[in-house]
Amino acid sequence: DAKTTQPTSMDCAEGRAANLPCNHSTISGNEYVYWYRQIHSQGPQYIIHGLKNNETNEMASLIITEDRKSSTLILPHATLRDTAVYYCIVRGALSNFGNEKLTFGTGTRLTIIP
Amino acid sequence: GAVVSQHPSRVICKSGTSVKIECRSLDFQATTMFWYRQFPKQSLMLMATSNEGSKATYEQGVEKDKFLINHASLTLSTLTVTSAHPEDSSFYICSARPFNSPLHFGNGTRLTVT
C-alpha cells in the first residue's frame, strides 16, 4: 500500500472549513484514498473514500488532485466535536475475501478552536 | 448506529491473570475481523486477522500464544490476553467490514494491568 504524509497537527476555528491535506505521491492506479478519524478514547470512524473523482457525503468532502498524488479532506463547518486525529490511508480496493485490513500512519491531530 | 460492538469498554486486571475481549458484528456476518492495539500517543497497530473457522493470522512480533484469538461464529471474535503484564496495558480495537461497505471499528477496550 502507498505511503502517505500528513501534517502532525492543525488548528481550525470553530465554524470555519477545516482543510486537511494528505500527500500520496506513490499511489498506484487501483488504490483508493480513505479517511478515518479517531476521537479521543474511541475507535476510528470512517469518513469518506475516493478513487479519482471528488466525493462528498454528509460528513465531509474529498478533493483528489488530477494526478492523484495528493488529496484534501474538507470539513465544511468545523465544530468542537470534530477535534480528533484524522488518518489518510491509501490502499487497494477492498474485496470480500478477508484482505480488508488497513494500515494506519500517525495522522493529523486537528484541534477546533472555539 | 454502531455496526461493530466491543465488550468490555474498560477492564482492570491483576498481573498474571487472563482477560477476554469480545468483538461482535451487528446485523452482518464477518468471516474476517481485525484486532488492533494502540499505545498512548501512538497510532493503531494491527495485531492479527481473525478468520472464522480457521486459525488467526498474526502480524510479525505478536505472540500468538499470548494473544489468543477465537472466531467461533460469523458474528463473534474474541481476543484473550493470557498472563497479562503491565506492558500489555493498551487500547485494543477490533474491526470488521459489512459487505460492500467500508471497514468499521468497535469503540475499543481499555486494558489496564496492575
Side-chain angles (χ1 to χ4, degrees), chain A residues 36 38 41-44 46 49 87 94-106, chain B residues 32 34 36 38 43-44 46 49 59 91 93 97 99-103 105-108 110:
Chain A
Y36 281 77
Q38 186 178 23
S41 293
Q42 295 183 22
Y46 167 79
H49 75 282
Y87 296 98
L94 298 181
S95 74
N96 295 307
F97 301 105
N99 70 342
E100 303 93 336
K101 62 184 179 183
L102 295 176
T103 301
F104 287 79
T106 53
Chain B
T32 306
F34 302 92
Y36 290 80
Q38 185 176 33
S43 188
L44 285 80
L46 181 68
T49 301
E59 297 298 302
F91 193 49
I93 309 166
R97 178 170 172 253
F99 185 77
N100 280 343
S101 296
L103 196 63
F105 291 80
N107 260 337
R110 174 84 51 198

Side-chain angles (χ1 to χ4, degrees), chain A residues 22-74:
Chain A
C22 179
N23 285 321
H24 31 79
S25 58
T26 60
I27 191 170
S28 62
N30 64 346
E31 288 183 316
Y32 287 72
V33 181
Y34 289 86
W35 282 86
Y36 281 77
R37 72 180 181 184
Q38 186 178 23
I39 295 169
H40 183 63
S41 293
Q42 295 183 22
Q45 176 189 23
Y46 167 79
I47 302 173
I48 199 167
H49 75 282
L51 182 62
K52 51 185 176 182
N53 297 323
N54 297 337
E55 302 287 345
T56 295
N57 63 19
E58 65 278 4
M59 290 183 68
S61 294
L62 174 61
I63 308 298
I64 303 174
T65 58
E66 193 167 339
D67 63 8
R68 302 209 321 123
K69 293 185 176 182
S70 66
S71 60
T72 301
L73 178 74
I74 301 172

Side-chain angles (χ1 to χ4, degrees), chain B residues 6-74:
Chain B
Q6 258 184 267
H7 179 81
S9 58
R10 191 179 294 268
V11 59
I12 301 172
C13 73
K14 293 187 176 181
S15 187
T17 62
S18 295
V19 173
K20 180 184 285 188
I21 303 169
E22 294 186 347
C23 179
R24 294 182 184 275
S25 58
L26 306 179
D27 298 325
F28 72 97
Q29 295 180 334
T31 55
T32 306
M33 293 184 178
F34 302 92
W35 287 96
Y36 290 80
R37 179 170 55 181
Q38 185 176 33
F39 292 108
K41 300 189 185 302
Q42 295 187 22
S43 188
L44 285 80
M45 295 297 294
L46 181 68
M47 297 177 66
T49 301
S50 173
N51 302 300
E52 188 269 336
S54 65
K55 291 182 179 180
T57 305
Y58 291 82
E59 297 298 302
Q60 192 173 5
V62 177
E63 300 175 57
K64 62 180 181 181
D65 294 331
K66 180 166 186 62
F67 299 99
L68 300 180
I69 291 174
N70 185 285
H71 195 150
S73 79
L74 287 171

